[in-house]
């Protein structure tokens, strides 16, 4: 990474100082850039949908997209840093709009949908996503230009773009690997290795996981563990860092070291020990985790209320002062999409949203309240979406998009929606209308969540653009294009995965092969609990108490240590997610920490660590994309294991072979990336 460069009053480096109003424009919003960005968006969106349903996490796509686009555009003539920025801006929709999977599969889980109708699903994603872009446009000057928010991911992406274009090297004399062939090699090798390993796992020569379930004592108590041999999960651990990984480990210990044995003891069951343990986790422990996640999310949001209010107030005041003395013509780098067009697009987006809400209310049997549901729903989306856009934009600027508690936003929105439905229409409906109300709550939450997801990342992109001398309105157009591209691919990929695997908790789905979709399961369970009052609130209370305890522990650590933390949301996820997801993330976090510590003792520490990040990003992309391909083969072949080459009798051998191969490949890749970093 380059050494620090002095910034001007707007946070820009002298290299990228704002030109005057008459400055000559550079190639930026080009057809080839849009095409490259759309292709990357389609690929990364499919990968993020699959991976998010499997792991409960999505990965940021801006930096991998920037590396890939730089490698492509450098082979072409007249490529600019601003054109590269447009490519990553379009592709960033893949990492954000894909978060709709945290809510929308809930409609399958509650048994309302059996698939994802394309135009309805597209309408939710596209209208909500475009609203997310529009709502953050008037916030750009307040939260980006006139703000001192750090925007860690936006700044990091800008640095990658600068070193790729040579600007950072010109400014500081430093060299880096992100924009060169080393960075691309790291992404490609990680992708290929992860994809090949996943294919071998599908042949059953390598086991998919190393698991064991066992009885504890002679009173029927049970527990177990499951290490998924997944390069994608391992890579997530590398990216989230040591303390998030250890927090998830603590959650897994609480869930499987205490909660599963406790509830299997309280509710004895016969049958295979793995079924008994998984049953206790599914019926009891998940809701304990929900309580922990809910309290942690509310606490995280509460901590941000004061900085959100004070930050917006001071930024708006500074903006008014600036506006009073500015020239009539804005410089190119301060030109947003005209506010009149923004308002018009917001109103236009409300039309399909109103139609979607009206159509859903009619087909769900709530037709007698269609007018109230449509008018109230549009106002709900209009107002709450702007509020969550402001909060999400500020949170992303403060702690980064990846660390922003987006699932907490979904939890609060669905609870508010469910409470309003109970207060407004439930008393006038037949007793059997509860399921329809749950579905409507999830439906309208999906729209607001799409807005929140885009807003959570949009300002990061605009911060990147500010630092690389981009034109804001061109970036805003690129984001809309990325949203539409993502909205096209999300419904068919969701439908494909639903038919191939199904979602855990959905009617008639085999839990052994189902995708966990943890956030969607949690949010749908909370909607059911509020509307139908059929949830065991004592489990939520236990989880909430655990969450309070973790919050106290984290605050103590924050005051006594500079680096040691215990993020409450991560602990909650560790309780809520199956060990097949959490334990390999923990392994990746520990290995990634050890890799970075060793890199710090080398001459090119930052370059080596950045290559490790790109390698991990490649692992996620490779496994996720091939996972979608295998899902398609499952659907079209009609076989659950179409690539299987060996039978169940080979299972014990496959565990040893797969486990040893996994460890050996990890060791070889990290050794290679360390040497590559020192040569860069």
């Amino acid at each position: 990474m380059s050494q620090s460069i002095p910034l001007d009053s707007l946070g820009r480096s002298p290299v990228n100082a704002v030109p005057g109003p008459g400055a000559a424009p550079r190639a930026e919003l080009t057809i080839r850039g849009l095409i490259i960005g759309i292709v990357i968006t389609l690929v990364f969106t499919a990968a993020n949908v699959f991976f998010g349903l499997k792991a409960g996490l999505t990965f940021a796509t801006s930096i991998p997209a920037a590396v890939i686009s730089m490698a492509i555009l450098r082979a072409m003539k007249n490529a600019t840093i601003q054109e590269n920025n447009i490519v990553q801006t379009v592709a960033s929709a893949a990492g954000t709009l894909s978060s709709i999977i945290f809510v929308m599969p809930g409609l399958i889980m509650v048994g309302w949908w059996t698939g994802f109708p394309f135009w309805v699903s597209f309408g939710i994603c596209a209208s909500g996503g475009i609203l997310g872009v529009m709502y953050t446009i008037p916030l750009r000057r307040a939260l980006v230009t006139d703000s001192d928010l750090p925007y860690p991911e936006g700044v990091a992406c800008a640095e990658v773009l600068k070193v790729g274009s040579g600007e950072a090297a010109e400014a500081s004399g430093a060299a880096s690997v992100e924009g060169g062939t080393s960075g691309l090699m790291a992404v490609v090798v990680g992708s290929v290795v992860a994809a090949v390993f996943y294919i071998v796992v599908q042949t059953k020569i390598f086991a998919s996981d190393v698991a064991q379930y066992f009885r504890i004592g002679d009173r029927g108590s049970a527990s177990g563990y499951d290490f998924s041999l997944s390069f994608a999960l391992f890579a997530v651990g590398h990216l989230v860092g040591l303390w998030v990984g250890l927090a998830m480990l603590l959650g897994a210990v609480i869930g499987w070291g205490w909660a599963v044995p406790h509830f299997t003891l309280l509710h004895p069951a016969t049958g295979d020990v793995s079924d008994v343990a998984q049953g206790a986790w599914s019926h009891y422990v998940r809701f304990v985790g929900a309580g922990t996640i809910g309290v942690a999310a509310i606490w995280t949001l509460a901590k941000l209320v004061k900085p959100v209010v004070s930050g917006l107030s001071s930024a708006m005041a500074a903006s008014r002062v600036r506006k009073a003395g500015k020239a009539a013509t804005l410089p190119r780098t301060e030109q947003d999409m005209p506010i009149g067009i923004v308002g018009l697009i917001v109103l236009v987006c409300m039309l399909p949203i109103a139609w979607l809400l009206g159509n859903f209310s009619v087909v769900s049997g709530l037709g007698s309240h269609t007018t109230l549901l449509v008018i109230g729903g549009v106002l709900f989306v209009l107002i709450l979406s702007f509020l969550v856009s402001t909060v999400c934009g500020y949170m992303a600027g403060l702690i980064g998009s990846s660390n922003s508690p987006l699932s907490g936003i979904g939890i609060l929105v669905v609870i508010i929606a469910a409470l309003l439905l109970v207060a407004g229409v439930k008393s006038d409906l037949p007793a059997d209308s509860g399921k329809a109300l749950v579905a409507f709550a999830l439906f309208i939450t999906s729209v607001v969540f799409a807005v929140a997801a885009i807003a959570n990342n949009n300002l990061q992109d605009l911060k990147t653009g500010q630092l690389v001398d981009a034109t804001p309105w061109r970036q805003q157009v690129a984001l809309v294009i990325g949203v539409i591209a993502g909205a096209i691919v999300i419904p068919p990929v969701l439908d494909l995965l639903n038919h191939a695997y199904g979602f855990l908790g959905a009617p008639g789905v085999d839990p052994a092969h189902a995708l966990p979709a943890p956030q969607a399961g949690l949010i749908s369970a909370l909607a059911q609990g509020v509307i139908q009052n059929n949830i065991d609130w004592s489990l939520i209370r236990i989880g909430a108490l655990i969450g309070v305890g973790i919050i106290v522990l984290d605050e103590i650590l924050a005051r006594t240590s500079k680096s040691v933390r215990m993020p409450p949301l991560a602990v909650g996820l560790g309780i809520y997610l199956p060990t097949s997801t959490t334990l390999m993330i923990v392994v990746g976090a520990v290995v990634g920490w050890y890799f970075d510590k060793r890199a710090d003792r080398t001459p090119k520490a930052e370059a080596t660590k950045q290559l490790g990040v790109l390698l991990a990003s490649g692992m996620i992309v490779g496994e996720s994309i091939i996972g979608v391909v295998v899902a398609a083969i499952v659907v079209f072949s009609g076989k659950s294991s179409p690539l299987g080459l060996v039978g169940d009798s080979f299972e014990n051998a496959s565990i040893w072979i797969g486990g040893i191969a996994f460890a050996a490949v990890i060791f070889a890749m990290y050794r290679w990336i360390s040497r590559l970093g020192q040569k860069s």
Side-chain angles (χ1 to χ4, degrees), residues 133-134 137-138 140 334-343 345 472-478 480:
V133 177
M134 295 302 112
I137 289 173
R140 186 189 67 82
E334 288 298 315
Q335 294 174 5
D336 288 299
M337 191 179 292
I339 197 65
I341 294 178
V342 171
I345 293 175
W473 74 262
R474 289 189 170 97
Q475 273 195 282
Q476 290 149 9
V477 170
V480 171

Side-chain angles (χ1 to χ4, degrees), residues 512-585:
H513 298 97
L515 293 168
Q519 284 90 343
L522 169 58
I523 289 173
S524 60
L526 291 173
Q528 287 176 320
V530 173
I531 291 174
Q532 298 178 347
N533 197 26
N534 63 353
I535 191 172
D536 186 348
W537 290 102
S538 66
L539 298 174
I540 302 292
R541 286 193 293 270
I542 292 171
L545 290 173
I546 293 172
V548 170
I550 299 300
I551 288 169
V552 172
L553 172 62
D554 187 52
E555 290 300 307
I556 292 173
L557 291 174
R559 286 165 172 75
T560 57
S561 173
K562 293 182 179 180
S563 59
V564 179
R565 298 300 302 269
M566 194 55 58
L569 272 171
V571 176
L573 280 173
I575 299 172
Y576 185 83
L577 292 170
T579 55
S580 59
T581 297
T582 55
L583 293 183
M584 187 51 69
I585 291 177

Side-chain angles (χ1 to χ4, degrees), residues 80 141 266 453 528 549 630 643 672:
T80 66
R141 283 199 185 92
L266 287 182
Q528 287 176 320
V630 171
L643 302 182
W672 168 73

Side-chain angles (χ1 to χ4, degrees), residues 75-127:
M76 302 179 181
K77 294 182 179 179
N78 304 320
T80 66
I81 187 173
Q82 290 78 23
E83 189 177 15
N84 266 314
N85 180 55
I86 287 293
V87 175
Q88 75 82 19
T89 298
V90 174
S92 70
T96 52
L97 193 58
S98 299
S99 297
I100 195 69
I101 61 172
F102 293 167
V103 181
M104 205 154 63
L107 289 161
I108 303 285
M109 293 175 168
V110 299
W112 192 257
W113 281 356
T114 57
F116 294 89
F118 177 80
W119 288 112
V120 174
S121 303
F122 171 82
I124 291 172
C125 296
S127 57

Side-chain angles (χ1 to χ4, degrees), residues 470-668:
T471 308
W473 74 262
R474 289 189 170 97
Q475 273 195 282
Q476 290 149 9
V477 170
L479 277 163
V480 171
I481 293 171
V483 163
I484 294 172
I488 290 172
V489 75
I490 286 173
V493 172
L494 276 173
D495 211 44
L496 177 69
L497 296 174
N498 178 46
H499 285 95
Y501 304 113
F503 307 124
L504 193 64
V509 171
D510 180 7
H513 298 97
L515 293 168
Q519 284 90 343
L522 169 58
I523 289 173
S524 60
L526 291 173
Q528 287 176 320
V530 173
I531 291 174
Q532 298 178 347
N533 197 26
N534 63 353
I535 191 172
D536 186 348
W537 290 102
S538 66
L539 298 174
I540 302 292
R541 286 193 293 270
I542 292 171
L545 290 173
I546 293 172
V548 170
I550 299 300
I551 288 169
V552 172
L553 172 62
D554 187 52
E555 290 300 307
I556 292 173
L557 291 174
R559 286 165 172 75
T560 57
S561 173
K562 293 182 179 180
S563 59
V564 179
R565 298 300 302 269
M566 194 55 58
L569 272 171
V571 176
L573 280 173
I575 299 172
Y576 185 83
L577 292 170
T579 55
S580 59
T581 297
T582 55
L583 293 183
M584 187 51 69
I585 291 177
V586 174
V587 173
V590 173
V591 172
W593 168 80
Y594 181 71
F595 172 81
D596 287 349
K597 293 289 286 184
R598 284 185 61 88
D600 284 333
R601 298 197 292 267
T602 63
K604 297 183 177 180
E606 292 304 317
T608 303
K609 288 191 284 188
Q610 185 61 37
L611 281 175
V613 170
L614 293 173
L615 178 71
S617 300
M619 292 183 204
I620 295 173
V621 172
E623 181 173 319
S624 300
I625 290 298
I626 206 66
V628 174
V629 173
V630 171
I633 296 173
V634 169
V635 171
F636 293 122
S637 68
K639 301 177 181 179
S640 60
S641 302
L643 302 182
L645 298 178
V646 296
D648 293 339
S649 60
F650 195 72
E651 182 178 358
N652 289 334
S654 70
I655 292 174
W656 283 100
I657 296 172
I660 293 171
F662 187 89
V665 171
I666 289 291
F667 177 81

Side-chain angles (χ1 to χ4, degrees), residues 346-518:
V346 169
L347 292 177
V348 169
C349 285
M350 289 302 164
L351 296 177
I353 289 172
W355 183 88
L356 287 167
L357 294 175
N359 178 70
F360 195 90
S361 64
V362 171
V363 301
S364 62
L366 305 174
S368 60
H369 293 79
T370 297
T371 302
L372 176 61
L373 290 173
V374 170
I375 295 175
V378 167
L379 289 175
F380 181 84
V381 171
L382 190 68
I383 297 170
L384 203 62
S385 292
F386 183 75
L387 293 176
V388 301
S389 294
T390 304
V391 173
C392 286
Y394 194 93
M395 288 192 305
L398 194 65
I399 58 178
S401 301
S402 300
N403 297 317
S404 183
L406 194 57
S407 58
I409 293 290
I411 289 170
L412 295 179
V413 171
V414 79
I415 289 176
I416 294 170
L419 289 173
L420 289 174
L421 288 171
V422 169
V425 301
K426 185 180 180 182
S427 59
D428 298 330
L429 292 170
D432 61 353
S433 61
K435 189 174 180 180
L437 288 174
V438 171
F440 192 88
L442 292 172
F443 190 84
I444 197 169
T445 299
S446 296
V447 178
V448 177
F449 199 83
V451 179
I454 291 297
N456 190 52
N457 188 70
N458 190 9
L459 292 176
Q460 291 280 3
D461 290 319
L462 294 175
K463 181 64 177 182
T464 300
Q466 179 204 29
L467 295 173
V468 299
D469 192 21
T471 308
W473 74 262
R474 289 189 170 97
Q475 273 195 282
Q476 290 149 9
V477 170
L479 277 163
V480 171
I481 293 171
V483 163
I484 294 172
I488 290 172
V489 75
I490 286 173
V493 172
L494 276 173
D495 211 44
L496 177 69
L497 296 174
N498 178 46
H499 285 95
Y501 304 113
F503 307 124
L504 193 64
V509 171
D510 180 7
H513 298 97
L515 293 168

